[in-house]
Amino acid sequence: MEDCIFCKICGKEIPAEIVHEDEKAIAFKDIDPQAPVHLLIIPTKHYDGIMNVPAGNDIVAHIHTLAIKLALRFGIADTGFRIVTNCGSQAGQSVNHLHFHLLGGRSFKWPPG
């Protein structure tokens, strides 16, 4: 997508503090962290959101597996973490590129907000 900030990060047009990159996904530190560990994990292929991922596509499973690996790497697997995706503007999705937040390193409340 031409105007998508996350596509530009994938294409190295915009800098980001990338902590993981493979053929299907990139993970990088959030520029406005809401927890001591706050990573964004995005597919390298553009999907506007979770509702746009075709049936049978394994990208969500790939990202969740990656989130577990990153939780272990960043030391939040034993204390607890959240994996969040916002779906639509009323849910807080501000970038129309499927992305998951991996948050940890502090206590969280429920409901989230």
Side-chain angles (χ1 to χ4, degrees):
M1 286 297 231
E2 193 173 297
D3 294 338
C4 176
I5 190 169
F6 288 170
C7 286
K8 289 179 179 183
I9 289 172
C10 288
K12 307 295 191 290
E13 298 171 50
I14 294 176
E17 194 171 342
I18 296 172
V19 298
H20 175 88
E21 186 172 5
D22 62 42
E23 69 284 346
K24 292 184 177 184
I26 290 180
F28 53 94
K29 292 184 177 182
D30 194 294
I31 62 169
D32 184 25
Q34 302 300 305
V37 175
H38 187 169
L39 306 176
L40 294 175
I41 308 171
I42 66 171
T44 55
K45 180 175 177 168
H46 183 91
Y47 301 98
D48 281 348
I50 195 75
M51 299 297 291
N52 304 103
V53 177
N57 188 302
D58 72 340
I59 191 60
V60 174
H62 180 78
I63 287 174
H64 275 222
T65 299
L66 176 55
I68 292 166
K69 290 177 183 176
L70 290 168
L72 289 164
R73 179 174 149 198
F74 281 84
I76 58 174
D78 291 337
T79 57
F81 59 92
R82 275 196 183 152
I83 303 169
V84 178
T85 187
N86 300 315
C87 306
S89 59
Q90 283 195 323
Q93 184 178 2
S94 60
V95 177
N96 288 327
H97 184 120
L98 177 63
H99 60 284
F100 294 80
H101 299 259
L102 174 63
L103 300 121
R106 70 169 176 86
S107 294
F108 296 99
K109 304 292 182 209
W110 194 260

mmCIF file of all heavy atoms in Angstrom, residues 1-42:
data_model
loop_
_atom_site.group_PDB
_atom_site.id
_atom_site.type_symbol
_atom_site.label_atom_id
_atom_site.label_comp_id
_atom_site.label_asym_id
_atom_site.label_seq_id
_atom_site.Cartn_x
_atom_site.Cartn_y
_atom_site.Cartn_z
ATOM 1 N N MET A 1 0.835 -1.186 0.000
ATOM 2 C CA MET A 1 0.000 0.000 0.000
ATOM 3 C C MET A 1 0.877 1.246 0.000
ATOM 4 O O MET A 1 1.787 1.368 0.813
ATOM 5 C CB MET A 1 -0.885 0.026 1.232
ATOM 6 C CG MET A 1 -2.039 -0.951 1.190
ATOM 7 S SD MET A 1 -3.059 -0.466 -0.136
ATOM 8 C CE MET A 1 -4.632 -0.351 0.486
ATOM 9 N N GLU A 2 0.577 2.138 -0.846
ATOM 10 C CA GLU A 2 1.399 3.320 -1.067
ATOM 11 C C GLU A 2 1.507 4.234 0.156
ATOM 12 O O GLU A 2 2.579 4.733 0.472
ATOM 13 C CB GLU A 2 0.809 4.092 -2.240
ATOM 14 C CG GLU A 2 1.722 5.147 -2.777
ATOM 15 C CD GLU A 2 1.157 5.749 -4.039
ATOM 16 O OE1 GLU A 2 1.011 5.016 -5.033
ATOM 17 O OE2 GLU A 2 0.844 6.952 -4.012
ATOM 18 N N ASP A 3 0.400 4.460 0.869
ATOM 19 C CA ASP A 3 0.399 5.405 1.978
ATOM 20 C C ASP A 3 0.520 4.742 3.348
ATOM 21 O O ASP A 3 0.425 5.414 4.359
ATOM 22 C CB ASP A 3 -0.888 6.229 1.956
ATOM 23 C CG ASP A 3 -0.970 7.139 0.740
ATOM 24 O OD1 ASP A 3 0.090 7.436 0.162
ATOM 25 O OD2 ASP A 3 -2.080 7.527 0.374
ATOM 26 N N CYS A 4 0.716 3.449 3.401
ATOM 27 C CA CYS A 4 0.713 2.718 4.661
ATOM 28 C C CYS A 4 2.065 2.832 5.364
ATOM 29 O O CYS A 4 3.098 2.420 4.833
ATOM 30 C CB CYS A 4 0.361 1.249 4.407
ATOM 31 S SG CYS A 4 0.448 0.231 5.894
ATOM 32 N N ILE A 5 2.044 3.390 6.571
ATOM 33 C CA ILE A 5 3.282 3.569 7.323
ATOM 34 C C ILE A 5 3.951 2.233 7.632
ATOM 35 O O ILE A 5 5.176 2.115 7.600
ATOM 36 C CB ILE A 5 3.030 4.398 8.607
ATOM 37 C CG1 ILE A 5 4.348 4.780 9.260
ATOM 38 C CG2 ILE A 5 2.118 3.654 9.567
ATOM 39 C CD1 ILE A 5 4.211 5.808 10.361
ATOM 40 N N PHE A 6 3.150 1.186 7.909
ATOM 41 C CA PHE A 6 3.752 -0.113 8.221
ATOM 42 C C PHE A 6 4.341 -0.765 6.972
ATOM 43 O O PHE A 6 5.378 -1.427 7.057
ATOM 44 C CB PHE A 6 2.748 -1.027 8.910
ATOM 45 C CG PHE A 6 2.422 -0.633 10.336
ATOM 46 C CD1 PHE A 6 1.387 -1.235 11.006
ATOM 47 C CD2 PHE A 6 3.152 0.334 11.008
ATOM 48 C CE1 PHE A 6 1.075 -0.897 12.321
ATOM 49 C CE2 PHE A 6 2.852 0.692 12.314
ATOM 50 C CZ PHE A 6 1.812 0.074 12.982
ATOM 51 N N CYS A 7 3.722 -0.567 5.821
ATOM 52 C CA CYS A 7 4.314 -1.060 4.569
ATOM 53 C C CYS A 7 5.647 -0.350 4.306
ATOM 54 O O CYS A 7 6.599 -0.971 3.832
ATOM 55 C CB CYS A 7 3.364 -0.855 3.395
ATOM 56 S SG CYS A 7 1.964 -2.000 3.375
ATOM 57 N N LYS A 8 5.708 0.936 4.667
ATOM 58 C CA LYS A 8 6.948 1.685 4.490
ATOM 59 C C LYS A 8 8.030 1.199 5.448
ATOM 60 O O LYS A 8 9.210 1.182 5.088
ATOM 61 C CB LYS A 8 6.695 3.179 4.656
ATOM 62 C CG LYS A 8 5.904 3.751 3.494
ATOM 63 C CD LYS A 8 5.635 5.226 3.658
ATOM 64 C CE LYS A 8 4.858 5.730 2.447
ATOM 65 N NZ LYS A 8 4.617 7.166 2.510
ATOM 66 N N ILE A 9 7.646 0.778 6.637
ATOM 67 C CA ILE A 9 8.614 0.175 7.562
ATOM 68 C C ILE A 9 9.108 -1.145 6.984
ATOM 69 O O ILE A 9 10.316 -1.414 6.984
ATOM 70 C CB ILE A 9 8.005 0.000 8.970
ATOM 71 C CG1 ILE A 9 7.839 1.376 9.630
ATOM 72 C CG2 ILE A 9 8.867 -0.930 9.832
ATOM 73 C CD1 ILE A 9 7.079 1.367 10.930
ATOM 74 N N CYS A 10 8.202 -1.967 6.465
ATOM 75 C CA CYS A 10 8.605 -3.239 5.840
ATOM 76 C C CYS A 10 9.557 -3.005 4.674
ATOM 77 O O CYS A 10 10.507 -3.770 4.473
ATOM 78 C CB CYS A 10 7.383 -4.009 5.348
ATOM 79 S SG CYS A 10 6.380 -4.739 6.646
ATOM 80 N N GLY A 11 9.314 -1.951 3.914
ATOM 81 C CA GLY A 11 10.147 -1.624 2.762
ATOM 82 C C GLY A 11 11.389 -0.820 3.095
ATOM 83 O O GLY A 11 12.111 -0.379 2.209
ATOM 84 N N LYS A 12 11.623 -0.591 4.393
ATOM 85 C CA LYS A 12 12.793 0.156 4.882
ATOM 86 C C LYS A 12 12.804 1.608 4.408
ATOM 87 O O LYS A 12 13.848 2.243 4.347
ATOM 88 C CB LYS A 12 14.101 -0.532 4.486
ATOM 89 C CG LYS A 12 14.215 -1.993 4.878
ATOM 90 C CD LYS A 12 14.233 -2.165 6.370
ATOM 91 C CE LYS A 12 14.606 -3.558 6.818
ATOM 92 N NZ LYS A 12 13.672 -4.605 6.583
ATOM 93 N N GLU A 13 11.618 2.142 4.084
ATOM 94 C CA GLU A 13 11.497 3.550 3.713
ATOM 95 C C GLU A 13 11.405 4.438 4.949
ATOM 96 O O GLU A 13 11.698 5.629 4.876
ATOM 97 C CB GLU A 13 10.262 3.753 2.837
ATOM 98 C CG GLU A 13 10.294 2.994 1.528
ATOM 99 C CD GLU A 13 8.951 3.075 0.813
ATOM 100 O OE1 GLU A 13 8.422 4.189 0.659
ATOM 101 O OE2 GLU A 13 8.444 2.008 0.421
ATOM 102 N N ILE A 14 10.951 3.862 6.051
ATOM 103 C CA ILE A 14 10.840 4.568 7.326
ATOM 104 C C ILE A 14 11.605 3.741 8.350
ATOM 105 O O ILE A 14 11.418 2.525 8.426
ATOM 106 C CB ILE A 14 9.359 4.710 7.757
ATOM 107 C CG1 ILE A 14 8.603 5.607 6.787
ATOM 108 C CG2 ILE A 14 9.259 5.248 9.178
ATOM 109 C CD1 ILE A 14 7.127 5.716 7.084
ATOM 110 N N PRO A 15 12.460 4.380 9.154
ATOM 111 C CA PRO A 15 13.222 3.604 10.137
ATOM 112 C C PRO A 15 12.352 3.124 11.291
ATOM 113 O O PRO A 15 11.364 3.767 11.661
ATOM 114 C CB PRO A 15 14.276 4.594 10.631
ATOM 115 C CG PRO A 15 13.698 5.941 10.371
ATOM 116 C CD PRO A 15 12.805 5.795 9.159
ATOM 117 N N ALA A 16 12.722 1.993 11.835
ATOM 118 C CA ALA A 16 12.089 1.438 13.021
ATOM 119 C C ALA A 16 13.129 0.597 13.735
ATOM 120 O O ALA A 16 14.084 0.116 13.118
ATOM 121 C CB ALA A 16 10.885 0.588 12.643
ATOM 122 N N GLU A 17 12.940 0.422 15.030
ATOM 123 C CA GLU A 17 13.852 -0.417 15.802
ATOM 124 C C GLU A 17 13.376 -1.865 15.688
ATOM 125 O O GLU A 17 12.634 -2.370 16.535
ATOM 126 C CB GLU A 17 13.922 0.039 17.251
ATOM 127 C CG GLU A 17 15.077 -0.574 17.997
ATOM 128 C CD GLU A 17 15.282 0.028 19.383
ATOM 129 O OE1 GLU A 17 14.776 1.129 19.647
ATOM 130 O OE2 GLU A 17 15.958 -0.641 20.182
ATOM 131 N N ILE A 18 13.781 -2.509 14.613
ATOM 132 C CA ILE A 18 13.331 -3.867 14.291
ATOM 133 C C ILE A 18 14.046 -4.862 15.186
ATOM 134 O O ILE A 18 15.267 -4.836 15.315
ATOM 135 C CB ILE A 18 13.571 -4.175 12.796
ATOM 136 C CG1 ILE A 18 12.704 -3.239 11.936
ATOM 137 C CG2 ILE A 18 13.277 -5.640 12.480
ATOM 138 C CD1 ILE A 18 12.981 -3.300 10.453
ATOM 139 N N VAL A 19 13.254 -5.756 15.808
ATOM 140 C CA VAL A 19 13.815 -6.779 16.690
ATOM 141 C C VAL A 19 13.711 -8.176 16.077
ATOM 142 O O VAL A 19 14.328 -9.116 16.571
ATOM 143 C CB VAL A 19 13.153 -6.746 18.085
ATOM 144 C CG1 VAL A 19 13.422 -5.406 18.769
ATOM 145 C CG2 VAL A 19 11.669 -7.036 18.009
ATOM 146 N N HIS A 20 12.925 -8.299 15.022
ATOM 147 C CA HIS A 20 12.794 -9.582 14.317
ATOM 148 C C HIS A 20 12.290 -9.300 12.907
ATOM 149 O O HIS A 20 11.448 -8.433 12.705
ATOM 150 C CB HIS A 20 11.809 -10.517 15.016
ATOM 151 C CG HIS A 20 11.581 -11.781 14.248
ATOM 152 N ND1 HIS A 20 12.363 -12.894 14.402
ATOM 153 C CD2 HIS A 20 10.684 -12.090 13.284
ATOM 154 C CE1 HIS A 20 11.945 -13.840 13.570
ATOM 155 N NE2 HIS A 20 10.935 -13.374 12.875
ATOM 156 N N GLU A 21 12.799 -10.093 11.968
ATOM 157 C CA GLU A 21 12.327 -9.991 10.593
ATOM 158 C C GLU A 21 12.460 -11.361 9.940
ATOM 159 O O GLU A 21 13.491 -12.015 10.044
ATOM 160 C CB GLU A 21 13.161 -8.955 9.851
ATOM 161 C CG GLU A 21 12.689 -8.652 8.460
ATOM 162 C CD GLU A 21 13.422 -7.472 7.835
ATOM 163 O OE1 GLU A 21 14.372 -6.937 8.451
ATOM 164 O OE2 GLU A 21 13.033 -7.090 6.719
ATOM 165 N N ASP A 22 11.394 -11.796 9.287
ATOM 166 C CA ASP A 22 11.445 -13.005 8.477
ATOM 167 C C ASP A 22 10.609 -12.762 7.222
ATOM 168 O O ASP A 22 10.165 -11.638 6.982
ATOM 169 C CB ASP A 22 11.004 -14.255 9.263
ATOM 170 C CG ASP A 22 9.560 -14.215 9.752
ATOM 171 O OD1 ASP A 22 8.662 -13.779 8.992
ATOM 172 O OD2 ASP A 22 9.303 -14.633 10.892
ATOM 173 N N GLU A 23 10.393 -13.795 6.428
ATOM 174 C CA GLU A 23 9.689 -13.614 5.154
ATOM 175 C C GLU A 23 8.215 -13.251 5.321
ATOM 176 O O GLU A 23 7.610 -12.677 4.427
ATOM 177 C CB GLU A 23 9.821 -14.874 4.279
ATOM 178 C CG GLU A 23 9.074 -16.100 4.780
ATOM 179 C CD GLU A 23 9.718 -16.818 5.965
ATOM 180 O OE1 GLU A 23 10.890 -16.564 6.287
ATOM 181 O OE2 GLU A 23 9.022 -17.640 6.587
ATOM 182 N N LYS A 24 7.634 -13.531 6.487
ATOM 183 C CA LYS A 24 6.206 -13.281 6.697
ATOM 184 C C LYS A 24 5.889 -12.129 7.638
ATOM 185 O O LYS A 24 4.782 -11.583 7.588
ATOM 186 C CB LYS A 24 5.534 -14.544 7.247
ATOM 187 C CG LYS A 24 5.472 -15.686 6.270
ATOM 188 C CD LYS A 24 4.711 -16.840 6.877
ATOM 189 C CE LYS A 24 4.577 -17.980 5.885
ATOM 190 N NZ LYS A 24 3.761 -19.065 6.449
ATOM 191 N N ALA A 25 6.819 -11.773 8.513
ATOM 192 C CA ALA A 25 6.491 -10.788 9.551
ATOM 193 C C ALA A 25 7.720 -10.003 9.985
ATOM 194 O O ALA A 25 8.853 -10.457 9.846
ATOM 195 C CB ALA A 25 5.876 -11.485 10.759
ATOM 196 N N ILE A 26 7.430 -8.829 10.526
ATOM 197 C CA ILE A 26 8.444 -7.967 11.133
ATOM 198 C C ILE A 26 7.927 -7.569 12.514
ATOM 199 O O ILE A 26 6.737 -7.294 12.682
ATOM 200 C CB ILE A 26 8.698 -6.708 10.281
ATOM 201 C CG1 ILE A 26 9.407 -7.069 8.978
ATOM 202 C CG2 ILE A 26 9.521 -5.683 11.049
ATOM 203 C CD1 ILE A 26 9.691 -5.884 8.080
ATOM 204 N N ALA A 27 8.830 -7.521 13.482
ATOM 205 C CA ALA A 27 8.497 -7.029 14.819
ATOM 206 C C ALA A 27 9.430 -5.866 15.136
ATOM 207 O O ALA A 27 10.627 -5.923 14.847
ATOM 208 C CB ALA A 27 8.652 -8.136 15.851
ATOM 209 N N PHE A 28 8.849 -4.821 15.723
ATOM 210 C CA PHE A 28 9.651 -3.652 16.061
ATOM 211 C C PHE A 28 9.087 -2.996 17.308
ATOM 212 O O PHE A 28 7.928 -3.228 17.692
ATOM 213 C CB PHE A 28 9.721 -2.654 14.896
ATOM 214 C CG PHE A 28 8.388 -2.235 14.336
ATOM 215 C CD1 PHE A 28 7.756 -1.089 14.791
ATOM 216 C CD2 PHE A 28 7.771 -2.985 13.348
ATOM 217 C CE1 PHE A 28 6.531 -0.694 14.271
ATOM 218 C CE2 PHE A 28 6.544 -2.601 12.818
ATOM 219 C CZ PHE A 28 5.919 -1.445 13.278
ATOM 220 N N LYS A 29 9.922 -2.175 17.949
ATOM 221 C CA LYS A 29 9.505 -1.493 19.172
ATOM 222 C C LYS A 29 8.524 -0.379 18.840
ATOM 223 O O LYS A 29 8.721 0.375 17.891
ATOM 224 C CB LYS A 29 10.720 -0.942 19.911
ATOM 225 C CG LYS A 29 11.602 -2.054 20.464
ATOM 226 C CD LYS A 29 12.746 -1.506 21.287
ATOM 227 C CE LYS A 29 13.555 -2.653 21.875
ATOM 228 N NZ LYS A 29 14.661 -2.153 22.718
ATOM 229 N N ASP A 30 7.465 -0.288 19.643
ATOM 230 C CA ASP A 30 6.467 0.759 19.483
ATOM 231 C C ASP A 30 7.089 2.104 19.850
ATOM 232 O O ASP A 30 7.836 2.194 20.830
ATOM 233 C CB ASP A 30 5.256 0.464 20.377
ATOM 234 C CG ASP A 30 4.051 1.307 20.041
ATOM 235 O OD1 ASP A 30 4.116 2.547 20.228
ATOM 236 O OD2 ASP A 30 3.045 0.755 19.596
ATOM 237 N N ILE A 31 6.788 3.140 19.073
ATOM 238 C CA ILE A 31 7.370 4.464 19.353
ATOM 239 C C ILE A 31 6.690 5.177 20.523
ATOM 240 O O ILE A 31 7.204 6.172 21.022
ATOM 241 C CB ILE A 31 7.375 5.374 18.103
ATOM 242 C CG1 ILE A 31 5.958 5.640 17.612
ATOM 243 C CG2 ILE A 31 8.260 4.795 17.023
ATOM 244 C CD1 ILE A 31 5.870 6.737 16.569
ATOM 245 N N ASP A 32 5.539 4.660 20.961
ATOM 246 C CA ASP A 32 4.828 5.218 22.118
ATOM 247 C C ASP A 32 4.481 4.068 23.057
ATOM 248 O O ASP A 32 3.312 3.708 23.210
ATOM 249 C CB ASP A 32 3.565 5.955 21.655
ATOM 250 C CG ASP A 32 2.835 6.636 22.787
ATOM 251 O OD1 ASP A 32 3.464 6.962 23.811
ATOM 252 O OD2 ASP A 32 1.603 6.833 22.646
ATOM 253 N N PRO A 33 5.489 3.483 23.708
ATOM 254 C CA PRO A 33 5.251 2.261 24.483
ATOM 255 C C PRO A 33 4.294 2.463 25.652
ATOM 256 O O PRO A 33 4.381 3.456 26.368
ATOM 257 C CB PRO A 33 6.643 1.859 24.961
ATOM 258 C CG PRO A 33 7.473 3.090 24.870
ATOM 259 C CD PRO A 33 6.880 3.919 23.776
ATOM 260 N N GLN A 34 3.409 1.485 25.815
ATOM 261 C CA GLN A 34 2.437 1.484 26.904
ATOM 262 C C GLN A 34 2.820 0.501 28.004
ATOM 263 O O GLN A 34 2.053 0.295 28.944
ATOM 264 C CB GLN A 34 1.049 1.159 26.351
ATOM 265 C CG GLN A 34 0.584 2.120 25.278
ATOM 266 C CD GLN A 34 0.494 3.545 25.782
ATOM 267 O OE1 GLN A 34 -0.177 3.815 26.769
ATOM 268 N NE2 GLN A 34 1.182 4.469 25.120
ATOM 269 N N ALA A 35 3.980 -0.122 27.867
ATOM 270 C CA ALA A 35 4.509 -1.073 28.844
ATOM 271 C C ALA A 35 6.021 -1.132 28.643
ATOM 272 O O ALA A 35 6.525 -0.707 27.596
ATOM 273 C CB ALA A 35 3.873 -2.446 28.628
ATOM 274 N N PRO A 36 6.748 -1.660 29.629
ATOM 275 C CA PRO A 36 8.197 -1.774 29.459
ATOM 276 C C PRO A 36 8.602 -2.539 28.196
ATOM 277 O O PRO A 36 9.592 -2.185 27.556
ATOM 278 C CB PRO A 36 8.647 -2.499 30.732
ATOM 279 C CG PRO A 36 7.631 -2.077 31.755
ATOM 280 C CD PRO A 36 6.331 -2.027 30.990
ATOM 281 N N VAL A 37 7.844 -3.562 27.850
ATOM 282 C CA VAL A 37 8.014 -4.241 26.565
ATOM 283 C C VAL A 37 6.755 -3.955 25.757
ATOM 284 O O VAL A 37 5.648 -4.294 26.184
ATOM 285 C CB VAL A 37 8.213 -5.765 26.726
ATOM 286 C CG1 VAL A 37 8.255 -6.448 25.371
ATOM 287 C CG2 VAL A 37 9.479 -6.056 27.523
ATOM 288 N N HIS A 38 6.904 -3.291 24.636
ATOM 289 C CA HIS A 38 5.770 -3.010 23.747
ATOM 290 C C HIS A 38 6.286 -3.105 22.319
ATOM 291 O O HIS A 38 6.945 -2.195 21.814
ATOM 292 C CB HIS A 38 5.175 -1.640 24.020
ATOM 293 C CG HIS A 38 3.918 -1.380 23.244
ATOM 294 N ND1 HIS A 38 3.108 -0.293 23.503
ATOM 295 C CD2 HIS A 38 3.305 -2.049 22.227
ATOM 296 C CE1 HIS A 38 2.069 -0.306 22.674
ATOM 297 N NE2 HIS A 38 2.181 -1.374 21.879
ATOM 298 N N LEU A 39 5.995 -4.244 21.717
ATOM 299 C CA LEU A 39 6.412 -4.502 20.345
ATOM 300 C C LEU A 39 5.197 -4.544 19.442
ATOM 301 O O LEU A 39 4.104 -4.932 19.872
ATOM 302 C CB LEU A 39 7.145 -5.843 20.254
ATOM 303 C CG LEU A 39 8.330 -6.044 21.184
ATOM 304 C CD1 LEU A 39 8.879 -7.463 21.026
ATOM 305 C CD2 LEU A 39 9.417 -5.023 20.929
ATOM 306 N N LEU A 40 5.382 -4.147 18.205
ATOM 307 C CA LEU A 40 4.369 -4.327 17.179
ATOM 308 C C LEU A 40 4.847 -5.440 16.265
ATOM 309 O O LEU A 40 6.013 -5.464 15.860
ATOM 310 C CB LEU A 40 4.168 -3.044 16.375
ATOM 311 C CG LEU A 40 3.577 -1.872 17.149
ATOM 312 C CD1 LEU A 40 3.548 -0.631 16.273
ATOM 313 C CD2 LEU A 40 2.192 -2.205 17.640
ATOM 314 N N ILE A 41 3.951 -6.363 15.968
ATOM 315 C CA ILE A 41 4.272 -7.461 15.059
ATOM 316 C C ILE A 41 3.315 -7.342 13.888
ATOM 317 O O ILE A 41 2.088 -7.343 14.073
ATOM 318 C CB ILE A 41 4.114 -8.828 15.744
ATOM 319 C CG1 ILE A 41 4.902 -8.870 17.064
ATOM 320 C CG2 ILE A 41 4.575 -9.943 14.798
ATOM 321 C CD1 ILE A 41 4.629 -10.108 17.903
ATOM 322 N N ILE A 42 3.877 -7.227 12.681
ATOM 323 C CA ILE A 42 3.060 -6.994 11.494
ATOM 324 C C ILE A 42 3.420 -7.986 10.394
ATOM 325 O O ILE A 42 4.579 -8.389 10.280
ATOM 326 C CB ILE A 42 3.226 -5.548 10.975
ATOM 327 C CG1 ILE A 42 4.641 -5.289 10.454
ATOM 328 C CG2 ILE A 42 2.865 -4.537 12.054
ATOM 329 C CD1 ILE A 42 4.816 -3.958 9.742
#
